Every structure is written in C-alpha cells, then in structure tokens.
C-alpha cells in the first residue's frame, strides 16, 4: 500500500478519464436526422442499379416491392423527426418494420442488389435491439452523445484489453519482490503461504478497482459540469447468445467493472504462479505479456486457433460489442461465457498455486540422504 510506483500509476488512471474527454469531445458525431437523410438518399442509388426487367420474375418483384416499402418507411421516420414534438412511436414502428424487410432480403440472398448497399445482419439486429429498448423505456431518440452517461462507457471501452492488462501487471509486479529478496526474514512470519498470497492479491486487486472507480466518478463529475449527467437508462448494446440486446448504461458499466475485477484477479494469480515457478519477477512478467500478445499476433497472421479463443475474453469490450465473435466467427465469445471462463480460470490458478505450494513444502520437509535420495 506504501508502494509509490502503484500510487503513481493510480494517479495516471485517475487523470485518464477527465483528460480523455478532451479528445472524445472533439470527435464528430452525426445526428439522427442527418443519418436518416443519408439513408433515404441511398434508395435512389439502389433502384438505379436494379435492372429494368428485374420485376418480371416473382423474386425480383418481391424484392422491388420490399425496397419500395423500405424507402417509404424511412421517409416516414424522417417526417417523425422533423416535427416539433418528435413522434417516437411512429419512428420506432417504422424502424422495426424496415429492419424486418431487410432481414427478408437476406432470406432472398439480396438478389439483384449491389453489394455496397447490403446492410449486414449484425447491424440490423443492433438497430432492432435499440428500437425495442427505446419503445419499452420511452426514452428520447436523440440523446446528447457528450453527456456523462454516454461518455463513461466509451472511456471504459478505451481501457479494455491490453492497456488494462499492462496496468494490472505493472501494479502487481512488485508483489513478490520483497519476498524473493528477503526470504530469511519473510520466512519467520507466522503466516501461511496461502494467507499471504490471498492478502497480496486481494489488496492489489482492490487497489486497482479503487483507482478505476474513483477515476470513473471523477471523470463523470468533470463531464457533468461541462454538459450534464444524461440518463443512466440510456441504451448500450450487448452481444449474448448470438444476438444483440440493449441494456441500460449503468448495467453495462457494472458488467465492465465486474469483468475488469475478474481480469485483474486472473492476471495477479497468473503472475504469482509464474513467479513461484521461475523465482524471477521479470521473467514472469515477460511470459504473461507474451501470452497477452498472442491474440493480436493471430489476427495479424489471419489465423484462428479455437483453443486460444479464451484469451480474447480478456478484452471485455470486444466481447460485449460482439466484435470478437464477428471477427472469429464464433458465437461462444459472448459476455456470459466470458464471465464463466474468467471465474473458472481464477479457480484453476488458485488451485494450481495451492498444489504448487504443497508440493514445494513437501519437498522441503523431506530429509536428503548422503546418496542424494529422500529418506523414508
């Protein structure tokens, strides 16, 4: 707790959230009205590329009728947004119907439609999940993207993955330095190895979570003074079971914090086990960092190794957004399985540490004979 390096890293984490807002507030975000105007204009290009004789077939006629209805519904959405009091119900109902029609086009293999105008199924499911959430909770359709409630999840997502893992490793790197340097002094303390291990890992994990939560609150307060708090009920998309669901911002943030905590524990346990085996903190750090770089290396080489998929779960943002599942073509990379895997691996590493300590203690207790063998 008196380690100055850890507090310096903690201060850097605390400052990250308010400082990141300066970059985030400069990003250009298109409003819903502009997006719908652009969407309406694309239908002119879609019809332009359709062959004139296309409607002579039954499939072609259905697709032409489908696209005509889509165009009309998107214009209905534009009209709903133009009104002084936005007609939320009309916008949502039209949007849901448009996406149903787009899914029907996928069933027809989007025959005759130029590939650049085909909307992926993932985008369709995302929009439908958001529209259903807005309908269920009666929320405004055009939230301010720069209020605190919309900024904080983005800030947490930017920390996810390698950045957070390296932060944990840097903070946890000094856990066993004093133990290795002062074996004779540490060894006389009436504290068992597992008690000492749980104390060290627990304190470091709580310290990391404390820095994260205080930084999050500080960033939220800073942004709230600039633009306002917004609504904690604003929707965030969550990938689970091969589909997308919309959840509240507060629920999304809590999911991320839980995943961050489990990831921190996993890395600290892994670092402890490797340090116990190698007796070298720097070697242990090097090995863990190499393992963390494996997913990036596989993606760069365009390789997919299924038994290494769990490593991708350390980047919780990629799991929550469904980017990992989409990139690897595996529906198993969702939040529920990630939590199960993180909890399971923490248990496995803890048991491994317990068994390694028992084995080391047993070998140390066995007397050695003159011939080099163990005495009975």
């Amino acid at each position: 707790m008196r380690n100055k390096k850890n507090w310096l890293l903690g201060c850097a984490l605390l400052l990250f959230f308010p400082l990141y807002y300066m970059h985030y507030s400069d990003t250009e975000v298109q409003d819903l009205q502009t997006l719908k105007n652009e969407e309406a204009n694309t239908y002119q290009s879609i019809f332009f590329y359709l062959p004139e004789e296309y409607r002579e077939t039954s499939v072609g006629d259905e697709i032409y009728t489908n696209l005509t209805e889509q165009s009309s519904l998107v214009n209905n959405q534009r009209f709903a947004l133009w009104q002084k009091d936005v007609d939320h119900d009309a916008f949502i109902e039209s949007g849901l119907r448009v996406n149903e029609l787009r899914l029907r086009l996928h069933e027809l293999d989007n025959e005759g439609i130029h590939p650049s105008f085909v909307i992926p199924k993932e985008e369709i499911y995302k929009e439908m999940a958001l529209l259903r959430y807005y309908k269920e909770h009666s929320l405004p359709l055009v939230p301010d993207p720069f209020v605190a409630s919309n900024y904080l999840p983005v800030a947490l997502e930017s920390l996810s993955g390698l950045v957070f893992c390296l932060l944990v490793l840097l903070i946890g790197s000094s856990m066993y330095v004093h133990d290795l340097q002062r074996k004779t002094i540490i060894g006389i303390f009436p504290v068992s190895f597992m008690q000492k291990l749980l104390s060290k890992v627990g304190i470091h994990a709580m310290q990391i979570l404390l820095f994260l939560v205080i930084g999050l609150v500080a960033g939220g307060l800073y942004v709230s003074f600039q633009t306002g708090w917004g609504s904690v009920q604003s929707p965030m998309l969550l990938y689970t079971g091969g589909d997308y669901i919309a959840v509240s911002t507060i629920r999304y943030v809590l999911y991320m914090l839980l995943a961050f905590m489990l990831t921190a524990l996993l890395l600290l346990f892994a670092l402890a086990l490797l340090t116990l085996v190698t007796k070298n903190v720097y070697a242990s750090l090097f090995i863990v960092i190499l393992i963390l770089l494996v997913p990036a290396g596989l993606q760069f080489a365009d390789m997919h190794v299924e038994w290494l998929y769990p490593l991708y779960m350390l980047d919780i943002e990629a799991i929550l957004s469904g980017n990992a599942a989409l990139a690897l073509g595996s529906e198993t990379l969702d939040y529920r399985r990630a939590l199960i895997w993180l909890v399971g691996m923490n248990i496995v590493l803890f048991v491994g540490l317990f068994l390694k300590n028992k084995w080391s203690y047993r070998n140390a207790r066995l007397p050695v004979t003159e011939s080099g063998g163990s005495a009975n």
Side-chain angles (χ1 to χ4, degrees), residues 270-338:
L271 193 60
L273 180 59
L274 285 169
T275 303
L276 194 62
V277 173
T278 63
K279 309 297 182 185
N280 188 307
V281 175
Y282 300 106
S284 303
L285 277 171
F286 182 72
I287 293 170
V288 176
I289 291 172
L290 278 182
I291 294 172
L292 293 175
L293 291 174
V294 167
L298 290 176
Q299 284 187 323
F300 180 77
D302 196 23
M303 295 174 60
H304 302 292
V305 183
E306 290 190 13
W307 62 273
L308 290 175
Y309 281 1
L311 290 177
Y312 291 86
M313 295 180 182
L314 294 174
D315 184 358
I316 196 60
E317 185 277 329
I319 298 297
L320 291 173
S321 64
N323 291 336
L326 183 62
L328 299 172
S330 174
E331 294 183 358
T332 60
L333 294 171
D334 65 3
Y335 184 71
R336 291 179 181 176
R337 290 182 177 86

Side-chain angles (χ1 to χ4, degrees), residues 144-162:
D144 184 350
F146 299 112
V147 294
S149 61
N150 291 329
Y151 158 72
L152 293 179
V154 175
L156 279 177
E157 289 171 352
S158 65
L159 274 178
S160 177
L162 191 59

Side-chain angles (χ1 to χ4, degrees), residues 111-271:
E111 187 178 315
I113 301 175
H114 194 276
S116 60
F117 300 124
V118 174
I119 299 176
K121 283 186 177 181
E122 292 76 20
E123 297 301 319
I124 297 173
Y125 292 139
K126 287 180 181 180
E127 187 173 340
M128 293 182 77
L130 287 174
L131 289 172
R132 289 178 183 136
Y133 186 91
Y134 281 121
K135 182 178 181 180
E136 182 181 350
H137 295 86
S138 302
L139 294 173
L141 292 169
V142 194
D144 184 350
F146 299 112
V147 294
S149 61
N150 291 329
Y151 158 72
L152 293 179
V154 175
L156 279 177
E157 289 171 352
S158 65
L159 274 178
S160 177
L162 191 59
V163 175
F164 180 73
C165 291
L166 290 176
L167 178 70
V168 173
L169 292 176
L170 287 172
I171 290 178
S173 61
S174 55
M175 278 197 304
Y176 289 99
V177 170
H178 296 294
D179 294 38
L180 295 175
Q181 291 176 346
R182 300 175 177 84
K183 281 186 178 181
T184 55
I185 298 176
I186 299 295
I188 66 173
F189 289 160
V191 180
S192 71
F193 171 81
M194 294 309 293
Q195 286 176 323
K196 186 168 60 177
L197 170 73
L198 289 176
S199 298
K200 286 177 176 289
V201 171
I203 288 173
H204 281 79
M206 291 304 297
Q207 192 178 36
I208 293 166
L209 185 64
L210 182 66
F211 290 145
L212 197 60
V213 171
I214 293 177
L216 199 63
V217 173
L221 288 172
Y222 174 79
V223 177
S224 68
F225 291 142
Q226 302 293 320
T227 57
W229 272 108
S231 172
V232 293
Q233 289 297 318
S234 297
M236 295 292 300
L237 285 171
L238 187 69
Y239 178 82
T240 178
D243 198 2
Y244 292 91
I245 61 171
V247 298
S248 65
T249 300
I250 187 66
R251 183 176 167 188
Y252 185 86
V253 169
L254 289 175
Y255 280 167
M256 291 206 75
L257 289 176
L258 176 59
F260 278 141
M261 186 64 177
L262 290 172
T263 301
L265 287 171
L266 177 64
L267 292 172
L268 292 173
F269 277 134
L271 193 60

Side-chain angles (χ1 to χ4, degrees), residues 11 39-40 55 67 75-76 83 110 172 176 180-181 189 221 241 246 259 279 286-287 307 329 350 354 374:
C11 290
E39 189 177 339
R55 296 185 62 184
L67 291 170
N75 282 309
N76 287 344
Q83 298 183 60
N110 289 285
Y176 289 99
L180 295 175
Q181 291 176 346
F189 289 160
L221 288 172
K279 309 297 182 185
F286 182 72
I287 293 170
W307 62 273
F350 178 78
F354 179 79
S374 298

Side-chain angles (χ1 to χ4, degrees), residues 47-65:
F47 286 118
F48 177 80
Y49 283 101
L50 283 175
E52 293 183 3
E53 66 279 3
Y54 190 61
R55 296 185 62 184
E56 295 178 3
T57 65
S58 58
V59 174
D61 184 62
E62 181 181 351
I63 289 178
Y64 187 88
T65 304

